[in-house]
Amino acid sequence: MPTPADHLAAARAASDPAALRALASTGLPFIDQALAVNPHTPPDTLTQLAGVRHSAWNDNRLLWLLAEHPGADGPVLHAVLAAVAELLAAGERPYAAAVALARRPEVPVERVRALGESAGASARLRGRVARALAGRA
């Protein structure tokens, strides 16, 4: 029977989409984060991971990793954007994910600006988002 360490090694090294999809159901935050770093993780699995919740720290890190993922396409980034907006509204601080989204040209500028203007955004986040958006040009 595979151990969590075996699952972690597979999440880091696997390139088979079916194997990576199967690993997304382990329910372990460190496996989810390893999948979010693996460049072979398919977009549908990345989208699924955007809705996973474990704890504030793990959720914020996972969303940041997903926003930075090189294979994150429109649906993945939309799911991450929605999750970040939800967490900001709940008083969490997924600031790194918001800034990573601001750097992605696939995400509309007005949607990212809305994150900076939400109730949970700090002045520092607004400034970092504005700088990241300015860096797109």
Side-chain angles (χ1 to χ4, degrees), residues 76-90:
V76 174
L77 295 173
H78 175 74
V80 172
L81 186 75
V84 168
E86 176 186 318
L87 290 176
L88 281 170

Side-chain angles (χ1 to χ4, degrees), residues 26-49:
T26 63
L28 299 170
F30 57 92
I31 303 296
D32 294 344
Q33 291 174 21
L35 290 169
V37 172
N38 186 327
H40 302 289
T41 303
D44 61 317
T45 303
L46 298 174
T47 302
Q48 175 188 344
L49 291 174

Side-chain angles (χ1 to χ4, degrees), residues 13-131:
S15 60
D16 176 39
L20 293 165
R21 284 184 185 100
L23 287 167
S25 65
T26 63
L28 299 170
F30 57 92
I31 303 296
D32 294 344
Q33 291 174 21
L35 290 169
V37 172
N38 186 327
H40 302 289
T41 303
D44 61 317
T45 303
L46 298 174
T47 302
Q48 175 188 344
L49 291 174
V52 171
R53 298 291 172 266
H54 294 288
S55 68
W57 189 91
N58 285 310
D59 298 347
N60 294 342
R61 178 166 172 74
L62 179 60
L63 290 172
W64 170 64
L65 293 171
L66 292 170
E68 295 270 327
H69 194 279
D73 59 7
V76 174
L77 295 173
H78 175 74
V80 172
L81 186 75
V84 168
E86 176 186 318
L87 290 176
L88 281 170
E92 297 295 331
R93 298 179 185 174
Y95 294 170
V99 173
L101 287 168
R103 288 191 205 108
R104 298 291 299 248
E106 303 96 326
V107 181
V109 171
E110 56 278 355
R111 305 254 345 254
V112 177
R113 273 203 191 106
L115 292 177
E117 296 167 1
S118 69
S122 67
R124 185 174 183 184
L125 175 63
R126 285 190 292 279
R128 290 178 66 196
V129 166
R131 284 190 295 281

